[in-house]
Amino acid sequence: MCFRYLYFILFCLFSFSIISTVYAQLPALSAEQQQPNPAKPVINIGVLAFRGDDYAAARWQATVDYLNSRIHEMHFKLHTLSLPQMKQAVADKTLSFILTNPGNYIELEVEYGVSRILTLQPERGAGPKSTIGSVIVVRQDRQDIQSMADITGKSLMIVSKQAFGGFQVAWLEFKKRGIDPFTDFSALKFSGFPMDNVAYAVRDGDVDVGILRACVLENMIFEGKIKAGELRVLDPQPFDDFACQSSTRLYPNWPLAKLRDTPNMLAKRVAQVLLELPEDSLVTWAGNHAGWTIPMDYQPVHDLFRELQIGPYEWLAKTSLRQLWERYWHWIMFFVMALVYGAWHMARVEHLVNVRTQQLSETNVQLKQEIKERLNAEHETRMRQTELAHVSRISAVGELASGMAHELNQPLSAINSYAQGTTMRLQADEISTAELIDISQHIIAQAERAGTIIQRFRSFLRKEEVACTDVDLNKAITEALELFASEVRKRNIDIELQLANRLPPVCAEIIQVEQVVLNLLRNAAEAMQAIDNKTRKILIRSEQQDNVIRVSISDNGPGMTDDVAKHLFDPFFTTKPDGMGLGLSISHSIMEAQRGQLELIEHGGQGVTFTLTWPVYRGEDLNEQ
Amino acid sequence: MNSEVKVFIVDDDESIRHSLRWLLESAKLTVEDYPSADEFLLHVDTDHVGCLILDVRMPGMSGLELQQALLDRTSTLPIIILTGHGDVPMAVRAMSQGSFDFVQKPFNGPQLLERVQSAIEHSRHLLQEKSSRTEIQERYNLLTPREQQVMSHIVTGNANKVIAFDMDIGLRTVEVHRHRVMEKMQARSVADLIYYHLQIKPN
C-alpha cells in the first residue's frame, strides 16, 4: 500500500519538474528570439590566437580590412582571443563571427549554436579538403624513439590540453595505440601559446617528445626559427594532397562561423565577399592560406571528441539544466516519460498485486470458512453416526426384548420356586441346615444370573464414545452369544465355537465388539431362515495371525450375489423387507473407530463369512490413543 | 393304569428343573424331570396320575410338538405350559390343543402348586373316566352280535314289537335278548344303557 503512495508522489514530482522546466524555458527562449539584433555599425570578429595575439593580428587583419573595403555600411573589427576568452565572448554574444580551430568550433557549435558558413582553404597549395593534423616530433638524434610505440615513459610537451591540432588530434592517435597521454608519460608539460615553444623545448632537449599542429614545423623552418633536420616527425602519414608532414589523419581546416544571433543576411554578405577573395592575393598571403571555400563536414571532429570524451562531450556533463534541456529535451522527455511510465506501471502492478492479494485473502477466508463448515459437517456426521449406532442398538434391543424377558424369567422363576419350597419345608419343619444352605446358594446364584443379564443389557443400551480398553475377544463372543441365546434356541441354530486359547487383548470397547458380533450373528440367523431347520449352523472362530487378531463368523446359509456383496457396507442398503440397511454400515464404522476392520471374505453358495480383525496393540499404542 | 402320582418337568434350563423339583417335593409330590421332550417320551409311561410341566421354548422338539405327540398317544396327562411374557399367543395355541393350563413366568410358588394340584385332580378324573370307559367297552364286547344289534335298537328308543318286526324275529326272542343286554351291560335302566352306549366304540 505504501509503495503506491510513494509512486504517486514520485510521479507528481516528475510532472512538476518537467512542467516547471518547460515554463521556465519558454519565456527565456522567446526573449532571446525577440531580442532585436542591435544594428550596430561595428561587427566584431573573434579570432583564436593560437600562436599569440601578434601573430593572429598580423595574419587576420588583412582579411578584416578586406571586408571593410567591400562592405561599407558596417565596420568589421578584429579581436584576437585565447580559447577561454573566445568561449566567454561567444557566451556574452559580443561577437558576430568567429574564426577558430575545428575543435573549438565544435564545442561552441554544440554549446552556443554557432554555425559555420565557410572553411578556410589549406595554405601553401595544400590539398583542398582536410588540412589539420598533428605532428609528433623528437630531436633528430633521439635514436631510441623511432615511432609512437617508443614514446611511453618519456616526457611529453604540448601547447595546451585544449589545442586541437596541437594535442587532441594526436591524443586520438595515442588512444588508438593504447597510450594514455596523462599517465603513460614520465611527465606532461604545457608550453602555452605560442606553439613554437614546444618545438624549442624539444630541440633544446627540455622534453623528449612534442606535439605540434601540422604545418607549424614547416612554417617555423620557413621563418627560420628552427633548422630543417633538427627535429624528426614520428610516423609521418602519406598524403598526396597535403604539403605538410602529419603523424595523424587530417581534419577540416578552420571554419568561419556566425553566432546564433547574427542575421543570415549579414552572414550571406560576408560569405559572398570572402568567397570572392582570390586564392593568391595579399590578403591570403598575409593570412597564410588559400582563401575560403564552402563549409566542410566537421563530423570527423565530432567523432574525435566523442571518442576522447572531451570538448562538447565532456562539457555536456557540466552543463546547466537549461542547456541540457535545450540540447536533449526530446531524450529527456522520452526518458522522463519512460520513467513515469515505469513508475506508473510499477504502481499499477503494485495495485494489481494488492487487488490480487486482497482477492486471495478473501478466497483464503472463504476456504477457511469452507474447511470449518466441512469439519462441522464431518463432526455432525460422526454425531449422527453415533446416534444411529445408538438407535440401532435400541432397535436391536427391541428385537431382543422378549429374549431378555425370557432370560430374566428363568432365574426369577427359579428363585421363586426355591424360596417357596424352602418356606413350605420350614413350615413343615422338614429341612436340614445343609439343605437350607444349599438352596440359599442356588438362590444367590440365580439372583446373580439375573443381575448379570440386566447389567449386560444396560451397558448395551448405554451410548458411549469409543474407549480403548483391553478386550478379551473370546469373552466378548461368549457374552454376545448369551444375548443371542434365545434366538439360537428359537431358530434351532447349531453354534460351533473354535476359540483360540491364548488370545492377546485388543484395544476396543467390549460392548461395541459385542454389538458387532451380535449384528453378524443376527444377519447369519436371518440368512439361514431359508434353509432346513436341522442344518443351520454358525461357526465362530477366533485366532491370532502375526500382528492381527481375527474373529470370523461363518454361516451355512444360501450366500449372496456379487452385487449384494459389493454394496453390503453401504448405509441404507438392505435385502431385508423391513431392514434399515444400517447394521453392517454401523458395524463397519465401529470397527474402523476401533482401528479394526470388518470384511466380507466369503459369500458364495457355501454361506457367508465375515471377519473382524484388530491389530495386536502394545502398551505404547494404547497411550497414543 | 398307574395310580402313583407323579409330576413331570420338561425344561432345558437346569435351574428351572432343579428349583421346581425343590418346590414340588416340598409339597410332597414325586417329581421326574427331563431336559428335553425326546428324553421324556423315551422314558415315561404317560398313563399316570399327575401332570406335566412343560416349557414351550426348547431346542429340539418344542413344547407344542410334545403336546401333539402325547395327544396322539391318547395320554390323559394334563399339561401345564410354562411361558415367557412374549409367548402368550403360543400358550393360547397350546390351550386350544387341549393343554390343561398355562403359567406365565416368572410364576409364584403357591400359584403353581395350586395349578399342579388341580391338574392332578383332573388327571385322576380323566384316568377314572378313561378306565370306566374301558370297562363298559369290555362289557359290550361280551355281547353277541345279535345282542349288540338289539342294544342299538333299544338305545334308539324302539319298542320290543318294533324291534321284533324290524329284525324279523319273535317278540319273545327280543325280550330274551333285551334281558341279556341289560344284564351283561350291568344297566339298571334304559337310561343307563344309553349312557354306556355313548361311551363305547361300536365294533
Side-chain angles (χ1 to χ4, degrees), chain A residues 250-281:
Chain A
L250 298 176
Y251 294 86
N253 207 343
W254 287 29
L256 178 68
K258 77 176 192 66
L259 270 71
R260 181 183 277 149
D261 298 337
T262 307
N264 282 335
M265 282 306 296
L266 173 60
K268 191 178 168 189
R269 281 288 303 281
V270 169
Q272 279 173 344
V273 167
L274 289 177
L275 280 171
E276 285 165 13
L277 187 69
E279 247 184 65
D280 192 15
S281 67

Side-chain angles (χ1 to χ4, degrees), chain A residues 54-248:
Chain A
D54 294 347
Y55 177 82
R59 189 175 174 192
W60 297 111
Q61 191 54 54
T63 303
V64 172
D65 291 345
Y66 167 71
L67 284 172
N68 279 329
S69 68
R70 293 292 298 272
I71 303 167
H72 302 293
E73 48 277 37
M74 47 199 95
H75 179 70
F76 292 92
K77 192 180 175 192
L78 180 69
H79 298 273
T80 58
L81 303 164
S82 66
L83 282 167
Q85 285 171 333
M86 176 70 83
K87 190 169 174 179
Q88 189 60 48
V90 171
D92 294 345
K93 299 172 189 167
T94 53
L95 302 172
S96 294
F97 296 96
I98 57 166
L99 182 52
T100 184
N101 70 32
N104 187 226
Y105 162 71
I106 288 298
E107 256 190 71
L108 298 175
E109 179 192 76
V110 169
E111 194 168 348
Y112 298 106
V114 303
S115 55
R116 61 192 184 276
I117 54 174
L118 291 172
T119 294
L120 199 64
Q121 287 267 66
E123 54 230 277
R124 298 199 199 293
K129 288 180 182 173
S130 305
T131 53
I132 292 184
S134 292
V135 286
I136 298 159
V137 293
V138 295
R139 270 168 64 112
Q140 182 62 46
D141 55 358
R142 288 299 292 265
Q143 293 305 316
D144 56 325
I145 304 173
Q146 290 299 327
S147 74
M148 261 187 254
D150 302 324
I151 61 176
T152 53
K154 310 291 187 294
S155 57
L156 173 68
M157 179 174 275
I158 57 172
V159 61
S160 148
K161 261 203 305 193
Q162 279 74 39
F164 182 67
F167 174 62
Q168 291 163 346
V169 171
W171 183 4
L172 185 64
E173 293 298 324
F174 285 164
K175 190 168 181 183
K176 282 178 185 169
R177 287 168 169 78
I179 301 166
D180 185 343
F182 301 103
T183 59
D184 292 345
F185 290 93
S186 61
L188 178 61
K189 296 177 180 174
F190 304 99
S191 66
F193 288 110
M195 201 180 281
D196 304 7
N197 297 338
V198 175
Y200 297 145
V202 175
R203 182 197 62 193
D204 297 343
D206 294 342
V207 293
D208 302 322
V209 185
I211 297 173
L212 296 171
R213 197 173 79 104
C215 294
V216 167
L217 182 62
E218 284 82 354
N219 282 346
M220 286 179 76
I221 293 168
F222 176 75
E223 289 162 11
K225 292 174 179 169
I226 289 280
K227 289 190 189 113
E230 268 184 324
L231 298 179
R232 177 156 50 85
V233 174
L234 296 182
D235 299 326
Q237 304 289 312
F239 296 109
D240 292 341
D241 54 353
F242 188 52
C244 308
Q245 293 189 91
S246 173
S247 304
T248 68

Side-chain angles (χ1 to χ4, degrees), chain A residues 402-403 405-406 408-425 428 430-431 435-436 438-439 442 446 449 486-487 489-490 492 534, chain B residues 11-28 55 57-61 83-87 104-110 112-113:
Chain A
S402 61
H406 186 84
L408 272 180
N409 279 336
Q410 305 294 99
L412 287 177
S413 301
I415 289 167
N416 199 303
S417 300
Y418 285 133
Q420 192 62 44
T422 307
T423 306
M424 287 162 74
R425 287 176 195 224
E430 287 175 351
I431 187 165
E435 273 178 321
L436 198 54
D438 179 51
I439 289 309
H442 275 96
Q446 291 304 308
R449 178 182 169 191
S486 64
E487 199 80 358
R489 275 208 304 274
K490 192 167 85 184
N492 193 28
K534 296 294 174 191
Chain B
D11 196 316
D12 62 318
D13 190 328
E14 198 272 334
S15 67
I16 293 288
R17 292 199 307 274
H18 186 260
S19 63
L20 275 179
R21 176 184 279 273
W22 176 260
L23 175 66
L24 295 169
E25 284 176 356
S26 302
K28 312 269 192 305
D55 186 14
R57 279 191 170 195
M58 280 185 301
M61 184 185 275
T83 76
H85 175 72
D87 301 328
Q104 200 174 318
K105 282 191 274 190
F107 44 78
N108 65 51
L112 182 69
L113 282 176

Side-chain angles (χ1 to χ4, degrees), chain A residues 298-355:
Chain A
Y298 284 80
Q299 190 58 39
V301 184
H302 272 289
D303 294 344
L304 176 137
F305 278 31
R306 194 179 297 117
E307 185 70 24
L308 295 177
Q309 296 179 342
I310 55 165
Y313 299 95
E314 179 194 36
W315 159 88
L316 193 64
K318 301 174 182 171
T319 189
S320 70
L321 188 63
R322 178 178 149 181
Q323 287 159 336
L324 192 75
W325 175 254
E326 277 173 30
R327 180 126 184 93
Y328 289 116
W329 65 272
H330 45 289
W331 287 109
I332 292 169
M333 276 303 276
F334 175 79
F335 181 70
V336 164
M337 279 170 71
L339 222 99
V340 167
Y341 173 77
W344 173 80
H345 180 71
M346 285 174 77
R348 185 168 166 276
V349 166
E350 182 78 11
H351 172 67
L352 284 177
V353 164
N354 279 341
V355 168

Side-chain angles (χ1 to χ4, degrees), chain B residues 75-90:
Chain B
S75 159
T76 56
L77 201 61
I79 299 172
I80 297 173
I81 297 286
L82 289 180
T83 76
H85 175 72
D87 301 328
V88 173
M90 201 185 282

